[in-house]
């Protein structure tokens, strides 16, 4: 049986065929991809900008994508379970660990440009004199540390012979103020907002910084190969053309941390060994 088509239908089909050859893969089938991320995760405003930058750099190849915040305030552990089960979110950001790299798919680009591996020590105001002569891990073990229950810092400290007092994130600063421990280890990019929000209550040790292997990745579902490849490609494109650095240093906490590290003497850095697992 012969199928008759009207001239306008033939023209439309021809136009669609031509577009399918000219447009990037997937751009015609679904011109807009929606990608959900956790709105209440740490520094979500900054990482949303990073996501948008990576997606914009790859728009020509992968098509248009829009970001949609998932607006439930949950722990990172719960969010990682959601991502693993392919529920509610498509991407999140987190410290890179061997276990997370096995259960999720990492986008292997350090979002903190190496800054996260340096940890400043926060102490009560006026307490820094007790630490003036400390220049080794053996000496530092004489002081008690505070750390988050689920932080990577905690695992690293224990592996290096430091047994920290642990608690959930929001209670650690009040515990330090109450003298429950001597110091709190915080990322070079994290400590500034905490100092600013507690004026005259805490101070930073200028003579002592911890360092250990630490990378911060975007993570997607294990099977979401295309999104992982797109984000990695977009991030490196942004790094190479300078737009990533421009965004990175526009964050005052990142810039302060970077500048402070450049002022420190190398002798003030105590390197911790990473756990084997």
């Amino acid at each position: 049986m012969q199928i008759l088509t009207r001239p306008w239908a033939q023209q439309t089909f021809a136009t669609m065929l031509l577009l399918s050859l000219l447009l990037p893969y997937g751009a015609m089938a679904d011109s807009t991809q929606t990608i959900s991320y956790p709105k209440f995760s740490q520094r979500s405003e900054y990482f949303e900008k990073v996501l948008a930058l990576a997606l914009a750099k790859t728009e020509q190849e992968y098509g248009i994508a829009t970001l949609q915040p998932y607006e439930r305030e949950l722990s990172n552990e719960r969010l990682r379970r959601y991502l693993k089960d392919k529920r509610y979110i498509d991407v999140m950001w987190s410290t890179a660990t061997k276990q997370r790299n096995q259960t999720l798919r990492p986008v292997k680009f350090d979002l903190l440009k190496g800054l996260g591996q340096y940890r400043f020590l926060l102490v009560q105001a006026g307490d820094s004199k007790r630490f003036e002569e400390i220049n080794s891990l053996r000496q530092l073990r004489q002081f008690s540390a505070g750390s988050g229950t689920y932080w990577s810092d905690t695992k690293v400290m224990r592996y290096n012979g430091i047994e920290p007092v642990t608690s959930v994130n929001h209670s650690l600063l009040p515990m330090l103020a109450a003298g429950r421990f001597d110091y709190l280890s915080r990322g070079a990019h994290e400590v500034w907002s905490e100092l600013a929000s507690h004026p005259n209550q805490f101070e930073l040790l200028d003579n002592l910084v911890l360092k250990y292997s630490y990378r911060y990745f975007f993570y997607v579902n294990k099977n979401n190969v295309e999104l992982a490849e797109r984000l990695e490609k977009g991030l490196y494109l942004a790094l190479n053309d300078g737009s990533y650095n421009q965004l990175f240093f526009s964050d005052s906490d990142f810039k302060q941390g970077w500048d402070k590290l450049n002022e420190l003497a190398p002798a003030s850095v105590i390197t911790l060994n990473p756990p084997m697992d």
Side-chain angles (χ1 to χ4, degrees):
M1 181 176 69
Q2 184 179 9
I3 299 177
L4 300 178
T5 57
R6 293 186 175 91
W8 61 266
Q10 293 176 338
Q11 184 177 6
T12 302
F13 177 78
T15 301
M16 291 176 65
L17 180 61
L18 179 61
L19 284 172
S20 69
L21 296 173
L22 295 177
L23 288 176
Y25 175 75
M28 183 179 172
D30 184 7
S31 58
T32 303
Q33 179 186 13
T34 301
I35 297 172
S36 180
Y37 68 94
K39 178 179 176 63
F40 291 104
S41 281
Q42 187 181 38
R43 293 190 171 275
S44 61
E45 290 185 7
Y46 172 76
F47 288 113
E48 180 184 359
K49 293 177 183 178
V50 177
L51 282 170
L53 179 63
L55 295 172
K57 295 295 178 183
T58 52
E59 188 174 292
Q60 184 175 357
E61 180 177 356
Y62 290 88
I64 299 171
T66 60
L67 291 171
Q68 177 177 298
Y70 176 63
E71 301 197 11
R72 283 190 64 192
E73 191 166 1
L74 301 171
S75 69
N76 283 338
E77 290 299 310
R78 175 68 65 85
L79 290 169
R80 279 189 280 268
R81 287 199 294 271
Y82 281 170
L83 191 58
K84 180 178 180 291
D85 296 337
K86 208 173 182 179
R87 299 172 61 196
Y88 306 118
I89 61 171
D90 301 299
V91 61
M92 66 177 294
W93 41 93
S94 180
T95 310
T97 68
K98 182 178 179 180
Q99 189 270 336
R100 289 167 196 165
N101 291 349
Q102 291 172 343
T103 58
L104 302 171
R105 183 173 293 276
V107 178
K108 293 187 177 180
F109 178 99
D110 186 4
L111 298 167
L112 299 180
K113 288 173 56 65
L115 188 62
Q117 65 185 321
Y118 294 95
R119 323 300 286 180
F120 288 133
L121 303 188
L122 201 61
V123 300
Q124 291 186 42
D127 205 26
S128 60
K129 289 184 179 180
R130 292 202 297 145
F131 294 83
E132 285 181 349
E133 303 301 321
I134 304 301
N135 55 27
S136 71
L137 178 58
R138 179 184 58 81
Q139 293 173 311
L140 184 62
R141 291 192 185 113
Q142 301 171 21
F143 297 86
S144 59
S147 191
T149 303
Y150 300 107
W151 290 359
S152 298
D153 299 55
T154 303
K155 192 172 185 179
V156 173
M157 285 180 174
R158 286 173 175 160
Y159 187 77
N160 286 270
I162 301 172
E163 184 56 46
V165 177
T166 61
S167 184
V168 292
N169 303 5
H170 58 77
S171 65
L172 285 167
L173 287 174
M175 290 171 68
L176 176 59
R180 293 281 304 279
F181 44 80
D182 296 315
Y183 68 90
L184 181 62
S185 170
R186 301 300 286 135
H189 61 291
E190 297 168 323
V191 70
W192 310 105
S193 58
E194 293 167 349
L195 282 170
S197 62
H198 298 80
N200 305 318
Q201 196 169 1
F202 304 110
E203 62 180 307
L204 206 61
L205 295 184
D206 287 330
N207 64 310
L208 200 58
V209 174
L210 301 182
K211 180 185 179 183
Y212 66 86
S213 178
Y214 179 107
R215 291 185 294 174
Y216 210 75
F217 288 162
F218 281 135
Y219 281 94
V220 301
N221 180 270
K222 193 73 174 176
N223 297 319
N224 201 344
V225 178
E226 182 176 291
L227 180 56
E229 290 178 346
R230 175 174 185 170
L231 291 175
E232 183 173 345
K233 185 175 293 186
L235 289 167
Y236 277 104
L237 286 171
L239 182 66
N240 290 335
D241 69 15
S243 54
Y244 189 88
N245 283 348
Q246 183 177 2
L247 176 59
F248 183 85
F249 288 111
S250 70
D251 186 293
S252 61
D253 288 348
F254 291 166
K255 189 174 188 311
Q256 275 186 280
W258 195 276
D259 291 344
K260 183 67 174 179
L261 284 172
N262 287 327
E263 296 173 4
L264 293 174
S268 63
V269 178
I270 296 177
T271 301
L272 304 182
N273 295 318
M276 298 302 293
D277 57 353

